[in-house]
Amino acid sequence: RDFNFNVTASGAILAFGLYFAKSGSRTAALSLCLPEAQVLLERIRPDLLLLRVLARALILWDDVDPTVVWIETQLPTVVVYSMERLRIDSNEIAMPRVDFDSFRRMHANIIAGACLTLGIRYSGSGCSAAALTLRHYLGYFAVLRDTYIDDKERVQNGQNSSIAQGTFAKTLGRAADRASTAAAAVGIARELS
């Protein structure tokens, strides 16, 4: 009775979210909350963080708000803190036990999950706030991708950044897709091209 959780986790998370969709069940949503501890977060694949954010929002459908604040509240405190440290200390030496690549992937996937949620929730609704929020994150992911590609220290240290570049390219694509679905209803889709 061996289970390969790497295969079944994605479907299980989505099935759980769909089973309790729009129920508003705080108990069900609590089981999908992202952990606040670094050790626990590092045990979860970044793509599963995206699905957890989406499934939790499906359950708490009426709580989804088309604002940057709502998206930022999806981030665990440890991820926010690590990303702030990364912005302050670009040399990444101040916190030697922190794998900043992991936190970059976690951050990107959590934000992408929130953007996916907004795109689904407000698709075709004509909500200009959702379209503007998604456009904001479209620009945000473009900057993250370009910043990571231009990171001179990674090149000098010989570290391979292709995995994170792929993460940022995927999240940029997801944000563009969600922004276009929300923007189509308010007539600003041409600006996204």
Side-chain angles (χ1 to χ4, degrees), residues 1-191:
R1 301 215 169 173
D2 293 330
F3 293 103
N4 186 348
F5 293 110
N6 287 324
V7 174
T8 59
S10 303
I13 291 169
L14 283 177
F16 188 80
L18 290 170
Y19 184 79
F20 289 100
K22 294 185 179 182
S23 69
S25 172
R26 301 275 176 206
T27 306
L30 187 62
S31 66
L32 292 169
C33 280
L34 303 181
E36 290 288 336
Q38 175 184 342
V39 173
L40 296 175
L41 264 175
E42 289 176 345
R43 291 182 178 193
I44 303 171
R45 285 190 345 235
D47 62 312
L48 297 180
L49 295 174
L50 182 150
L51 293 176
R52 279 181 152 199
V53 170
L54 174 62
R56 186 168 188 271
L58 288 173
I59 295 168
L60 302 175
W61 192 250
D62 294 332
D63 294 348
V64 175
D65 192 29
T67 63
V68 171
V69 173
W70 181 83
I71 289 180
E72 296 291 329
T73 60
Q74 305 309 304
L75 292 165
T77 308
V78 67
V79 174
V80 172
Y81 176 74
S82 296
M83 292 303 290
E84 284 300 317
R85 294 298 305 168
L86 185 60
R87 287 184 192 111
I88 294 168
D89 295 327
S90 61
N91 60 10
E92 301 179 13
I93 295 173
M95 297 172 63
R97 294 184 186 181
V98 175
D99 179 6
F100 283 102
D101 281 341
S102 292
F103 277 102
R104 282 179 169 137
R105 283 190 210 90
M106 286 180 218
H107 178 262
N109 278 285
I110 292 167
I111 296 291
C115 287
L116 179 61
T117 299
L118 283 188
I120 293 170
R121 174 74 170 89
Y122 293 99
S123 180
S125 69
C127 179
S128 60
L132 292 174
T133 301
L134 290 168
R135 237 171 83 193
H136 165 77
Y137 281 103
L138 182 60
Y140 178 75
F141 281 125
V143 168
L144 276 181
R145 181 200 58 196
D146 296 343
T147 301
Y148 200 83
I149 290 171
D150 294 338
D151 189 347
K152 294 177 184 174
E153 288 180 10
R154 299 212 169 274
V155 174
Q156 289 172 353
N157 292 336
Q159 295 176 357
N160 184 357
S161 62
S162 63
I163 294 172
Q165 285 176 2
T167 297
F168 292 131
K170 281 190 262 182
T171 53
L172 179 62
R174 288 179 186 135
D177 183 44
R178 295 302 107 202
S180 65
T181 57
V186 291
I188 60 171
R190 69 178 182 285
E191 295 178 26

